[in-house]
Amino acid sequence: MNASRAEQILKSPDTIGVKYRNNYVWIENVDKGRNTAYVTYLEKHNTVHVDIDQLEETGPMPQH
């Protein structure tokens, strides 16, 4: 993924699936200058700082 797409997902009103290391995450913040993002694991609820190019978009998520 690139920084522009990560920022689009962050600002989107839709819920778009994103994975980091095979786990679903929520993008909290994007730093385009450093090409990094803060993401929170949906299962564990811990936040980590990652390289944006390691994020994988999986598509729209079903609404609960």
Side-chain angles (χ1 to χ4, degrees):
M1 178 178 304
N2 64 43
S4 293
R5 182 61 184 145
E7 202 166 57
Q8 288 172 352
I9 291 171
L10 175 63
K11 294 177 179 179
S12 174
D14 300 320
T15 304
I16 299 168
V18 175
K19 283 188 172 183
Y20 172 68
R21 295 189 175 172
N22 234 10
N23 293 287
Y24 279 103
V25 294
W26 186 261
I27 299 173
E28 301 287 350
N29 192 322
V30 174
D31 184 339
K32 289 175 89 171
R34 292 184 175 170
N35 201 45
T36 60
Y38 283 98
V39 298
T40 300
Y41 285 98
L42 297 185
E43 302 255 334
K44 303 173 190 170
H45 302 290
N46 59 318
T47 302
V48 293
H49 193 218
V50 303
D51 290 329
I52 291 173
D53 59 6
Q54 294 181 347
L55 298 176
E56 173 190 354
E57 182 177 350
T58 62
M61 298 288 285
Q63 298 296 320
H64 294 291

PDB file of all heavy atoms in Angstrom, residues 31-46:
ATOM      1  N   ASP A  31       1.765   9.085   8.436  1.00  0.00           N
ATOM      2  CA  ASP A  31       2.858  10.046   8.285  1.00  0.00           C
ATOM      3  C   ASP A  31       3.428   9.864   6.882  1.00  0.00           C
ATOM      4  O   ASP A  31       4.268   8.994   6.647  1.00  0.00           O
ATOM      5  CB  ASP A  31       3.932   9.800   9.348  1.00  0.00           C
ATOM      6  CG  ASP A  31       5.058  10.830   9.300  1.00  0.00           C
ATOM      7  OD1 ASP A  31       5.247  11.490   8.248  1.00  0.00           O
ATOM      8  OD2 ASP A  31       5.755  10.965  10.314  1.00  0.00           O
ATOM      9  N   LYS A  32       2.927  10.685   5.941  1.00  0.00           N
ATOM     10  CA  LYS A  32       3.337  10.540   4.542  1.00  0.00           C
ATOM     11  C   LYS A  32       4.826  10.834   4.356  1.00  0.00           C
ATOM     12  O   LYS A  32       5.476  10.236   3.512  1.00  0.00           O
ATOM     13  CB  LYS A  32       2.502  11.457   3.646  1.00  0.00           C
ATOM     14  CG  LYS A  32       1.068  10.997   3.507  1.00  0.00           C
ATOM     15  CD  LYS A  32       0.240  11.970   2.715  1.00  0.00           C
ATOM     16  CE  LYS A  32       0.301  11.647   1.240  1.00  0.00           C
ATOM     17  NZ  LYS A  32      -0.666  12.448   0.455  1.00  0.00           N
ATOM     18  N   GLY A  33       5.378  11.747   5.139  1.00  0.00           N
ATOM     19  CA  GLY A  33       6.785  12.091   5.024  1.00  0.00           C
ATOM     20  C   GLY A  33       7.711  10.923   5.337  1.00  0.00           C
ATOM     21  O   GLY A  33       8.737  10.741   4.696  1.00  0.00           O
ATOM     22  N   ARG A  34       7.323  10.129   6.318  1.00  0.00           N
ATOM     23  CA  ARG A  34       8.136   8.968   6.730  1.00  0.00           C
ATOM     24  C   ARG A  34       7.623   7.666   6.140  1.00  0.00           C
ATOM     25  O   ARG A  34       8.228   6.615   6.355  1.00  0.00           O
ATOM     26  CB  ARG A  34       8.152   8.854   8.252  1.00  0.00           C
ATOM     27  CG  ARG A  34       8.890   9.982   8.917  1.00  0.00           C
ATOM     28  CD  ARG A  34       8.946   9.754  10.400  1.00  0.00           C
ATOM     29  NE  ARG A  34       9.767  10.795  11.034  1.00  0.00           N
ATOM     30  CZ  ARG A  34       9.837  10.967  12.323  1.00  0.00           C
ATOM     31  NH1 ARG A  34       9.151  10.188  13.134  1.00  0.00           N
ATOM     32  NH2 ARG A  34      10.599  11.918  12.825  1.00  0.00           N
ATOM     33  N   ASN A  35       6.471   7.725   5.448  1.00  0.00           N
ATOM     34  CA  ASN A  35       5.831   6.534   4.871  1.00  0.00           C
ATOM     35  C   ASN A  35       5.538   5.489   5.961  1.00  0.00           C
ATOM     36  O   ASN A  35       5.778   4.299   5.787  1.00  0.00           O
ATOM     37  CB  ASN A  35       6.675   5.934   3.743  1.00  0.00           C
ATOM     38  CG  ASN A  35       5.825   5.068   2.823  1.00  0.00           C
ATOM     39  OD1 ASN A  35       4.738   5.460   2.434  1.00  0.00           O
ATOM     40  ND2 ASN A  35       6.311   3.891   2.492  1.00  0.00           N
ATOM     41  N   THR A  36       5.046   5.987   7.091  1.00  0.00           N
ATOM     42  CA  THR A  36       4.692   5.106   8.200  1.00  0.00           C
ATOM     43  C   THR A  36       3.277   5.403   8.666  1.00  0.00           C
ATOM     44  O   THR A  36       2.694   6.429   8.315  1.00  0.00           O
ATOM     45  CB  THR A  36       5.658   5.274   9.391  1.00  0.00           C
ATOM     46  OG1 THR A  36       5.605   6.633   9.838  1.00  0.00           O
ATOM     47  CG2 THR A  36       7.085   4.894   9.023  1.00  0.00           C
ATOM     48  N   ALA A  37       2.741   4.499   9.474  1.00  0.00           N
ATOM     49  CA  ALA A  37       1.403   4.679  10.029  1.00  0.00           C
ATOM     50  C   ALA A  37       1.340   4.054  11.417  1.00  0.00           C
ATOM     51  O   ALA A  37       2.082   3.108  11.712  1.00  0.00           O
ATOM     52  CB  ALA A  37       0.355   4.028   9.134  1.00  0.00           C
ATOM     53  N   TYR A  38       0.465   4.597  12.250  1.00  0.00           N
ATOM     54  CA  TYR A  38       0.123   3.946  13.507  1.00  0.00           C
ATOM     55  C   TYR A  38      -1.139   3.147  13.239  1.00  0.00           C
ATOM     56  O   TYR A  38      -2.115   3.674  12.702  1.00  0.00           O
ATOM     57  CB  TYR A  38      -0.126   4.975  14.618  1.00  0.00           C
ATOM     58  CG  TYR A  38       1.141   5.548  15.179  1.00  0.00           C
ATOM     59  CD1 TYR A  38       1.615   6.766  14.740  1.00  0.00           C
ATOM     60  CD2 TYR A  38       1.875   4.850  16.145  1.00  0.00           C
ATOM     61  CE1 TYR A  38       2.793   7.296  15.242  1.00  0.00           C
ATOM     62  CE2 TYR A  38       3.049   5.372  16.650  1.00  0.00           C
ATOM     63  CZ  TYR A  38       3.505   6.593  16.202  1.00  0.00           C
ATOM     64  OH  TYR A  38       4.675   7.108  16.694  1.00  0.00           O
ATOM     65  N   VAL A  39      -1.103   1.876  13.588  1.00  0.00           N
ATOM     66  CA  VAL A  39      -2.258   1.001  13.389  1.00  0.00           C
ATOM     67  C   VAL A  39      -2.564   0.278  14.693  1.00  0.00           C
ATOM     68  O   VAL A  39      -1.669   0.020  15.498  1.00  0.00           O
ATOM     69  CB  VAL A  39      -2.028  -0.020  12.252  1.00  0.00           C
ATOM     70  CG1 VAL A  39      -1.799   0.675  10.917  1.00  0.00           C
ATOM     71  CG2 VAL A  39      -0.870  -0.956  12.537  1.00  0.00           C
ATOM     72  N   THR A  40      -3.836  -0.039  14.887  1.00  0.00           N
ATOM     73  CA  THR A  40      -4.268  -0.782  16.070  1.00  0.00           C
ATOM     74  C   THR A  40      -4.799  -2.136  15.623  1.00  0.00           C
ATOM     75  O   THR A  40      -5.644  -2.211  14.723  1.00  0.00           O
ATOM     76  CB  THR A  40      -5.369  -0.018  16.827  1.00  0.00           C
ATOM     77  OG1 THR A  40      -4.843   1.250  17.232  1.00  0.00           O
ATOM     78  CG2 THR A  40      -5.841  -0.794  18.048  1.00  0.00           C
ATOM     79  N   TYR A  41      -4.282  -3.194  16.245  1.00  0.00           N
ATOM     80  CA  TYR A  41      -4.787  -4.542  15.962  1.00  0.00           C
ATOM     81  C   TYR A  41      -6.229  -4.634  16.446  1.00  0.00           C
ATOM     82  O   TYR A  41      -6.536  -4.255  17.580  1.00  0.00           O
ATOM     83  CB  TYR A  41      -3.964  -5.596  16.701  1.00  0.00           C
ATOM     84  CG  TYR A  41      -2.610  -5.859  16.090  1.00  0.00           C
ATOM     85  CD1 TYR A  41      -1.464  -5.264  16.600  1.00  0.00           C
ATOM     86  CD2 TYR A  41      -2.474  -6.719  15.008  1.00  0.00           C
ATOM     87  CE1 TYR A  41      -0.219  -5.516  16.049  1.00  0.00           C
ATOM     88  CE2 TYR A  41      -1.225  -6.979  14.453  1.00  0.00           C
ATOM     89  CZ  TYR A  41      -0.109  -6.376  14.975  1.00  0.00           C
ATOM     90  OH  TYR A  41       1.122  -6.626  14.421  1.00  0.00           O
ATOM     91  N   LEU A  42      -7.131  -5.145  15.593  1.00  0.00           N
ATOM     92  CA  LEU A  42      -8.545  -5.242  15.966  1.00  0.00           C
ATOM     93  C   LEU A  42      -8.762  -6.268  17.067  1.00  0.00           C
ATOM     94  O   LEU A  42      -9.633  -6.098  17.913  1.00  0.00           O
ATOM     95  CB  LEU A  42      -9.396  -5.591  14.743  1.00  0.00           C
ATOM     96  CG  LEU A  42      -9.401  -4.548  13.628  1.00  0.00           C
ATOM     97  CD1 LEU A  42     -10.381  -4.955  12.537  1.00  0.00           C
ATOM     98  CD2 LEU A  42      -9.736  -3.166  14.144  1.00  0.00           C
ATOM     99  N   GLU A  43      -7.980  -7.349  17.078  1.00  0.00           N
ATOM    100  CA  GLU A  43      -8.171  -8.404  18.086  1.00  0.00           C
ATOM    101  C   GLU A  43      -7.515  -8.052  19.420  1.00  0.00           C
ATOM    102  O   GLU A  43      -8.081  -8.251  20.477  1.00  0.00           O
ATOM    103  CB  GLU A  43      -7.588  -9.721  17.565  1.00  0.00           C
ATOM    104  CG  GLU A  43      -8.194 -10.172  16.259  1.00  0.00           C
ATOM    105  CD  GLU A  43      -9.154 -11.308  16.423  1.00  0.00           C
ATOM    106  OE1 GLU A  43      -9.011 -12.054  17.392  1.00  0.00           O
ATOM    107  OE2 GLU A  43     -10.037 -11.451  15.565  1.00  0.00           O
ATOM    108  N   LYS A  44      -6.299  -7.519  19.362  1.00  0.00           N
ATOM    109  CA  LYS A  44      -5.515  -7.308  20.578  1.00  0.00           C
ATOM    110  C   LYS A  44      -5.642  -5.895  21.129  1.00  0.00           C
ATOM    111  O   LYS A  44      -5.285  -5.645  22.276  1.00  0.00           O
ATOM    112  CB  LYS A  44      -4.029  -7.586  20.300  1.00  0.00           C
ATOM    113  CG  LYS A  44      -3.771  -8.979  19.777  1.00  0.00           C
ATOM    114  CD  LYS A  44      -2.315  -9.114  19.378  1.00  0.00           C
ATOM    115  CE  LYS A  44      -2.078 -10.405  18.618  1.00  0.00           C
ATOM    116  NZ  LYS A  44      -0.742 -10.461  18.029  1.00  0.00           N
ATOM    117  N   HIS A  45      -6.082  -4.968  20.308  1.00  0.00           N
ATOM    118  CA  HIS A  45      -6.281  -3.571  20.678  1.00  0.00           C
ATOM    119  C   HIS A  45      -4.989  -2.842  21.058  1.00  0.00           C
ATOM    120  O   HIS A  45      -5.039  -1.842  21.761  1.00  0.00           O
ATOM    121  CB  HIS A  45      -7.318  -3.423  21.794  1.00  0.00           C
ATOM    122  CG  HIS A  45      -8.651  -4.001  21.440  1.00  0.00           C
ATOM    123  ND1 HIS A  45      -9.481  -3.430  20.504  1.00  0.00           N
ATOM    124  CD2 HIS A  45      -9.278  -5.119  21.860  1.00  0.00           C
ATOM    125  CE1 HIS A  45     -10.569  -4.179  20.382  1.00  0.00           C
ATOM    126  NE2 HIS A  45     -10.469  -5.198  21.183  1.00  0.00           N
ATOM    127  N   ASN A  46      -3.826  -3.366  20.618  1.00  0.00           N
ATOM    128  CA  ASN A  46      -2.587  -2.629  20.859  1.00  0.00           C
ATOM    129  C   ASN A  46      -2.188  -1.894  19.591  1.00  0.00           C
ATOM    130  O   ASN A  46      -2.459  -2.337  18.489  1.00  0.00           O
ATOM    131  CB  ASN A  46      -1.466  -3.555  21.359  1.00  0.00           C
ATOM    132  CG  ASN A  46      -1.159  -4.670  20.388  1.00  0.00           C
ATOM    133  OD1 ASN A  46      -2.049  -5.268  19.813  1.00  0.00           O
ATOM    134  ND2 ASN A  46       0.112  -4.958  20.212  1.00  0.00           N
TER     135      ASN A  46
END
